[in-house]
Amino acid sequence: KPMPDPRLTAIEKLIADYEAADKDMTEANVEAAFVSRLFAILGWATDDPTVWNRQVFVRGGGFANVGLQIQNRCSSRPAPPPTWPASPN
């Protein structure tokens, strides 16, 4: 029997934590408690400001709560490429 993917187990725990959380959390606390954890599970270095940049100005869009620096993707914990459904064409 194959071992479960630890990322799936971590995401299930994250969902359970979210469901049990206070729904009156501020946006900043939701980001810290859940959003950054999800991206860390997926392999992003959320503790590295060259990758996970908080309150970053995005040209043409204004300020974003978080900007992901794709060229600085954390190579020590890579996430697998996404699998997309087959195109109907």
Side-chain angles (χ1 to χ4, degrees):
K1 182 175 176 180
M3 295 292 295
D5 186 326
R7 292 171 296 188
L8 293 178
T9 303
I11 290 171
E12 289 170 349
K13 166 93 169 85
L14 181 66
I15 291 168
D17 290 350
Y18 175 76
E19 289 173 344
D22 178 4
K23 298 306 181 226
D24 292 328
M25 293 174 73
T26 66
E27 183 178 348
N29 286 337
V30 169
E31 187 280 321
F34 303 108
V35 178
S36 64
R37 283 174 56 196
L38 174 62
F39 278 87
I41 291 166
L42 296 175
W44 292 87
T46 59
D47 57 346
D48 181 348
T50 67
V51 174
W52 186 262
N53 194 344
R54 289 178 173 84
Q55 297 296 318
V56 64
F57 182 77
V58 178
R59 186 179 50 227
F63 279 91
N65 291 331
V66 172
L68 295 171
Q69 305 297 317
I70 304 236
Q71 69 274 18
N72 290 325
R73 176 81 187 270
C74 177
S75 60
S76 63
R77 296 178 291 166
T83 53
W84 304 100
S87 173
N89 295 335

